[in-house]
Amino acid sequence: KCCRQQFVWNDFCEEYIPTDRKHTYYPSVITNDRLYEIKISDLPVIPYFPVNSYYEWANYRYYGLRSASAYILVFDLSNLETFQYIRTLREQICESRNMSNVPLLVVGNKQDQIVDEGGNAAAITKPAITSGHEEKRRDIANLVKKHWKCGYIECSAKYNWKVVAVFRELINMIDNIDSRDQSPMLDNIQDALDRNKCVVI
């Protein structure tokens, strides 16, 4: 929620308010000399990813979980236990739909609450997490990049560190799939326009 809020409105709310229902936003982004119309769906925590359309209709009506163009899964860098939820959800997504042409980006948020390699606190407002977490963070990054073959970025929604990079990376991932699968001839101009639209969950 915080990354989305920072990206769409360039704003950060100090008070944590969990997402309680689906919120949809329609920002336009210019990157790689192209205009992209993005539909971002911010969803509350779901206990499981629907295995088929029936379960999606019965329990997550209008969420669009199974038809998303891409996924951004966010966990809390200051509480690495939250990564387990991301891991389980990603397994369920991969078991439930063909992900060969669907980018998945894993984002570690709250980078401001961890300590860098030199032992310096990234932020002074709260006690930073000690470098004891560093090895676990590296393991997570390696798992995501090397084994899952997914994108991985760490950011801070609070200080707007790398938030734009999150969405730029996702657009690049989508572009790479589009350029790989693009046929030499476009059927019509609508095909070109549709490739610049993206639904992100």
Side-chain angles (χ1 to χ4, degrees):
K1 178 175 189 169
C2 296
C3 288
R4 177 264 310 152
Q5 185 174 339
Q6 189 66 266
F7 179 69
V8 175
W9 291 316
N10 198 26
D11 183 37
F12 180 82
C13 179
E14 290 286 344
E15 180 186 356
Y16 173 70
I17 303 169
T19 302
D20 59 348
R21 62 185 176 85
K22 177 184 175 184
H23 298 273
T24 305
Y25 307 89
Y26 298 90
S28 295
V29 178
I30 297 176
T31 188
N32 303 331
D33 297 323
R34 291 168 69 182
L35 173 67
Y36 295 82
E37 297 172 9
I38 304 175
K39 175 183 175 184
I40 299 175
S41 294
D42 182 20
L43 304 177
V45 172
I46 58 171
Y48 70 94
F49 189 86
V51 294
N52 58 39
S53 299
Y54 170 78
Y55 284 108
E56 180 173 31
W57 178 253
N59 300 315
Y60 304 113
R61 198 171 304 177
Y62 311 121
Y63 273 27
L65 290 170
R66 298 177 53 78
S67 59
S69 306
Y71 297 92
I72 299 176
L73 303 180
V74 182
F75 72 100
D76 182 346
L77 285 168
S78 68
N79 178 5
L80 295 181
E81 299 303 315
T82 59
F83 180 75
Q84 186 54 47
Y85 171 73
I86 296 301
R87 180 182 224 152
T88 302
L89 190 60
R90 181 234 166 225
E91 287 172 6
Q92 292 173 352
I93 292 170
C94 292
E95 289 171 3
S96 300
R97 66 174 291 194
N98 180 356
M99 293 292 289
S100 60
N101 289 326
V102 182
L104 190 147
L105 180 63
V106 176
V107 176
N109 190 23
K110 299 190 181 179
Q111 189 180 25
D112 54 289
Q113 294 188 17
I114 57 177
V115 172
D116 66 21
E117 291 285 340
N120 300 315
I124 56 173
T125 55
K126 277 188 174 179
I129 305 302
T130 61
S131 57
H133 276 35
E134 196 62 34
E135 188 175 341
K136 287 182 182 177
R137 280 178 56 220
R138 274 196 298 268
D139 290 345
I140 287 172
N142 285 335
L143 173 69
V144 171
K145 293 177 188 175
K146 295 180 180 176
H147 297 285
W148 294 1
K149 307 278 190 241
C150 296
Y152 178 80
I153 292 183
E154 294 182 353
C155 71
S156 168
K158 181 175 183 177
Y159 293 104
N160 202 11
W161 297 342
K162 298 185 184 175
V163 172
V164 172
V166 167
F167 292 91
R168 185 174 290 133
E169 174 66 19
L170 190 69
I171 288 170
N172 287 337
M173 291 166 73
I174 292 167
D175 271 356
N176 287 338
I177 288 172
D178 282 349
S179 63
R180 184 185 70 204
D181 296 339
Q182 184 178 352
S183 59
M185 294 290 290
L186 292 174
D187 291 334
N188 56 46
I189 194 68
Q190 189 60 45
D191 289 344
L193 293 172
D194 286 344
R195 277 203 313 279
N196 289 0
K197 292 182 181 175
C198 173
V199 179
V200 179
I201 293 186

